[in-house]
Amino acid sequence: MRIRPIMLIAATATAAALATAGGMATAATGTATPAPAAAAKPSAAPTATPTPQAPNAAEAGPAGTAAVPGKGPSAGPVTVTPSAFKVTSTATSPIDAATTAKILASCLGSEASQYHSVIAVRTPTATADTDGVVVAVNSAKQYVQCESKGAKGTSSSVPATFINDRLWGVGHLVEFFDDSTAPVGGGKFLTLGAGHYTPDVAKVTISYGDDPTQYPAVMADGAFVYTAAISTGKDSVSSTPNPYVHAFNAAGKEIYNQKTQPNIKGAHQ
């Protein structure tokens, strides 16, 4: 099942070991980095509405607690427990050059020769039809994303996912052009996304749901890829957390936060 959030953004280079060979980014360590203080945006807890009761009846307390006489819901907000999930891995490994070429040929057909790969990595877990992704770019700086499975060099991205030239966020810094979450089985899922960014961005990280922990994305030649193995214990894709992109400049200042800048700001000029 493919989920497309409102928008996306760039990838991280910190703690991500990018081995480059033949112009292709090959891997990231997936080591989590602490979120800056401004990155986390706690959700406001809703306040329960008192329910009419019969006279002398004990009023119900907050959800999940025993009823206490004289202590109704209006006494304070109800704490909402977020959906439980765990990011079990964000590590990637390189796809070799020969297989990458086959993936692009399968994905792009006769136009494959116009593109060169900038990122080609295996994901930390595999679904029925995806265990890798290749991002390539042509001379006009148009990016394309091709997902793949196995070493045969075939791509499930037909037609391919092409990026456009619209950049998001204040300052038009990044674009999130594809995102998907698919089941692995047993309450486990693979999340995968990609995009591109301007030279103003030096680092891109991804946080998930209400967890402020940020994980580095793979970055190369203006493109980024993020991927994560996530466990929820439930088979429903709706139980998986939304990914949020964060971008930082060379000084380490956060210049984009998808949680606080969720809308398209217009075409980059």
Side-chain angles (χ1 to χ4, degrees):
M1 175 179 179
R2 185 170 293 272
I3 298 176
R4 293 180 181 272
I6 297 176
M7 63 176 292
L8 273 116
I9 155 173
T12 74
T14 308
L18 288 180
T20 49
M24 177 177 67
T26 56
T29 61
T31 303
T33 57
K41 184 179 180 182
S43 301
T47 302
T49 302
T51 302
Q53 301 278 343
N56 302 321
E59 293 182 271
T65 63
V68 179
K71 299 291 183 180
S74 59
V78 175
T79 300
V80 178
T81 303
S83 300
F85 70 91
K86 182 178 181 180
V87 176
T88 58
S89 179
T90 59
T92 59
S93 58
I95 300 176
D96 64 83
T99 302
T100 296
K102 292 178 182 178
I103 292 170
L104 290 179
S106 173
C107 180
L108 296 171
S110 61
E111 295 183 358
S113 61
Q114 301 174 28
Y115 288 80
H116 70 274
S117 170
V118 293
I119 300 174
V121 291
R122 296 290 181 197
T123 57
T125 189
T127 68
D129 57 8
T130 302
D131 70 354
V133 59
V134 175
V135 175
V137 65
N138 65 9
S139 59
K141 284 295 181 181
Q142 295 173 322
Y143 294 85
V144 63
Q145 176 183 352
C146 299
E147 296 178 15
S148 68
K149 179 64 182 285
K152 294 182 179 180
T154 57
S155 174
S156 57
S157 302
V158 179
T161 301
F162 285 91
I163 195 169
N164 57 36
D165 61 356
R166 296 177 70 178
L167 294 163
W168 301 336
V170 176
H172 311 299
L173 300 171
V174 296
E175 182 177 3
F176 209 17
F177 67 95
D178 194 39
D179 172 53
S180 64
T181 298
V184 173
K188 298 178 181 179
F189 300 86
L190 170 65
T191 291
L192 174 64
H196 78 140
Y197 55 90
T198 70
D200 303 278
V201 176
K203 181 177 74 171
V204 176
T205 61
I206 311 297
S207 63
Y208 294 89
D210 293 327
D211 186 349
T213 305
Q214 295 181 23
Y215 300 86
V218 182
M219 300 171 68
D221 198 11
F224 71 92
V225 165
Y226 72 87
T227 181
I230 294 176
S231 177
T232 66
K234 301 178 181 180
D235 291 330
S236 173
V237 174
S238 63
S239 65
T240 59
N242 288 328
Y244 296 102
V245 179
H246 307 261
F248 301 82
N249 63 18
K253 178 183 178 181
E254 186 175 63
I255 54 177
Y256 178 83
N257 182 335
Q258 191 180 351
K259 280 191 171 183
T260 59
Q261 299 180 47
N263 299 317
I264 297 174
K265 300 299 181 181
H268 178 62
Q269 302 296 327

